[in-house]
Amino acid sequence: MVSDDQPVPVFPKPVTLRDVAARAGVSVATASKALNDQGRMTAETRERIRETARSLGFRPNSLAQSLLRRRSFTVGLLTNDTYGRFSLPLMSGISDALVDNGVSVFLCNVEEDPRLGQLHVEAMLDKRVDGIIATGKRIDRHLPVDLANLRIPVIYAFTQPDPDAVAFVSDDAGGARLAVEHFYRLGRRRIAHVSGPASFAVVHARAQAYRDVLAENGLPVTDPLLGAWSEAWGHEAVAHLFDGKSERPDAVFCGNDQIARGVIDALRERGLDVPGDVGVIGFDNWEIVAEATRPPLTSVDMNLVALGREAGLTLLSLVGGQPAAPGIRKLPCRLVVRQSCGRSPDG
């Protein structure tokens, strides 16, 4: 509450298009055309009007612009990734791609509820979004909502797409190759693989790449150990690897960083040094886990920020009327090397 003896704050009046036109000495229509890159005029006049707008701090009315261009300059992002483990890096990349084009992104969590998903889609359509990006917590499951025949572009990123849609995923097999080939270059020859549940497509893609690299280099091929995506399973898997009659591994490639952390804890409890006795590599490069592990964990990064950026740029192209061939585009992973895998004999 403002008392009688306190001055009432005075806020500056917004600069209007009419103010810009008056200062530049042109009509309002000419100023509008210059700022919207329309109409016929000399380059000098167009630049003079734009410089006048900048000097006055003019901000165009986004609603008026959207009506003029038949666009809302907003994009909807749908996800069922409740914890944001995958959707937040993707959203960062999407925002990077769209912000320079004046496009805003708003996120809606559909959880596993088809009714909630449909409500969010209808709200997006009511707001006249320019397009939708669908993402999830695994690439082999479709979001619980129908995104077909919406009459606006839809891009899928890190989730199962509709037929004939444009989709972006990480190259899981390529990422697994990076890890196993790195172990081989380090001189490791008894490489085990501990991964997640068999119900996940990525588990099989990574396991096949693991087998292929071992076979290509004449190394013994062992069956992966499959379990939960958890530290507890990683801890338990070490007992299977080290208490049996088989030769003990000198390296363990893990299906995610949580499994890897459990493996490292169990190895330490057995008095084994990481990476001296056993090297360990994870998958996902979840920095909060990888960097806090002791020793810090080498991990495969799925490049989700870059994946989101590509999805955003492709959606912009579709909104702009440029065609995009349907299909799944696989983006390469990268290996982030920390201390858990050791060094090669020559340095």
Side-chain angles (χ1 to χ4, degrees):
M1 181 175 179
V2 179
S3 65
D4 293 341
D5 58 348
Q6 288 181 318
V8 177
V10 177
F11 298 100
K13 188 178 179 181
V15 178
T16 66
L17 183 61
R18 190 175 299 278
D19 297 327
V20 174
R23 178 70 65 88
V26 297
S27 69
V28 172
T30 299
S32 176
K33 291 174 183 177
L35 296 177
N36 287 290
D37 201 24
Q38 296 175 343
R40 299 177 65 180
M41 65 190 72
T42 65
E44 291 79 9
T45 299
R46 192 182 301 277
E47 182 54 34
R48 176 167 55 84
I49 295 169
R50 288 177 174 176
E51 180 56 37
T52 300
R54 284 192 291 268
S55 66
L56 291 175
F58 172 70
R59 293 177 62 84
N61 185 306
S62 59
L63 176 59
Q65 282 197 321
S66 66
L67 291 173
L68 177 66
R69 302 184 190 181
R70 298 181 182 274
R71 286 185 54 187
S72 66
F73 292 90
T74 58
V75 165
L77 179 61
L78 287 172
T79 185
N80 63 350
D81 179 17
T82 307
Y83 295 104
R85 170 65 191 92
F86 305 111
S87 61
L88 291 181
L90 278 164
M91 187 170 183
S92 175
I94 292 166
S95 296
D96 285 346
L98 301 183
V99 68
D100 290 339
N101 293 274
V103 179
S104 300
V105 184
F106 64 93
L107 173 66
C108 291
N109 187 357
V110 303
E111 299 176 3
E112 297 297 339
D113 187 342
R115 179 177 173 277
L116 179 61
Q118 191 58 43
L119 286 174
H120 283 317
V121 170
E122 289 173 1
M124 289 179 176
L125 296 177
D126 287 343
K127 293 179 183 297
R128 299 186 181 278
V129 295
D130 295 329
I132 291 175
I133 297 177
T135 183
K137 53 190 175 183
R138 53 190 293 183
I139 65 172
D140 55 356
R141 291 290 186 274
H142 198 284
L143 290 185
V145 60
D146 183 9
L147 299 177
N149 304 315
L150 292 185
R151 299 189 299 279
I152 60 172
V154 177
I155 297 287
Y156 294 83
F158 206 80
T159 193
Q160 188 177 54
D162 284 325
D164 300 323
V166 178
F168 293 86
V169 298
S170 299
D171 183 358
D172 284 275
R177 272 190 164 274
L178 289 175
V180 183
E181 289 173 350
H182 187 70
F183 271 143
Y184 184 79
R185 287 193 299 271
L186 294 176
R188 311 280 180 171
R189 295 296 181 265
R190 301 183 307 279
I191 306 170
H193 182 33
V194 180
S195 194
S199 58
F200 282 70
V202 295
V203 167
H204 298 285
R206 296 170 190 174
Q208 188 57 53
Y210 157 78
R211 294 188 189 95
D212 290 345
V213 175
L214 295 183
E216 290 164 9
N217 290 283
L219 300 182
V221 179
T222 58
D223 290 331
L225 297 179
L226 305 185
W229 296 114
S230 68
E231 289 187 33
W233 164 237
H235 193 282
E236 180 186 339
V238 169
H240 293 280
L241 293 172
F242 286 82
D243 290 345
K245 296 180 180 180
S246 302
E247 190 174 18
R248 294 182 171 188
D250 60 2
V252 183
F253 165 47
C254 300
N256 76 353
D257 293 343
Q258 291 161 286
I259 293 173
R261 189 164 178 166
V263 166
I264 289 175
D265 286 346
L267 291 171
R268 184 185 301 111
E269 291 171 8
R270 289 171 175 266
L272 295 170
D273 179 71
V274 176
D277 297 316
V278 184
V280 178
I281 293 179
F283 207 107
D284 292 347
N285 193 35
W286 192 1
E287 292 184 356
I288 195 171
V289 173
E291 294 181 353
T293 302
R294 291 293 174 263
L297 179 65
T298 294
S299 185
V300 178
D301 191 306
M302 293 187 289
N303 277 335
L304 294 178
V305 174
L307 194 152
R309 180 172 177 78
E310 287 300 313
L313 290 173
T314 302
L315 185 63
L316 276 181
S317 295
L318 290 173
V319 171
Q322 299 297 317
I328 297 175
R329 295 151 170 78
K330 291 185 178 182
L331 272 64
C333 298
R334 64 189 178 97
L335 187 67
V336 179
V337 178
R338 300 186 180 91
Q339 286 77 38
S340 68
C341 56
R343 295 173 178 264
S344 62
D346 58 0

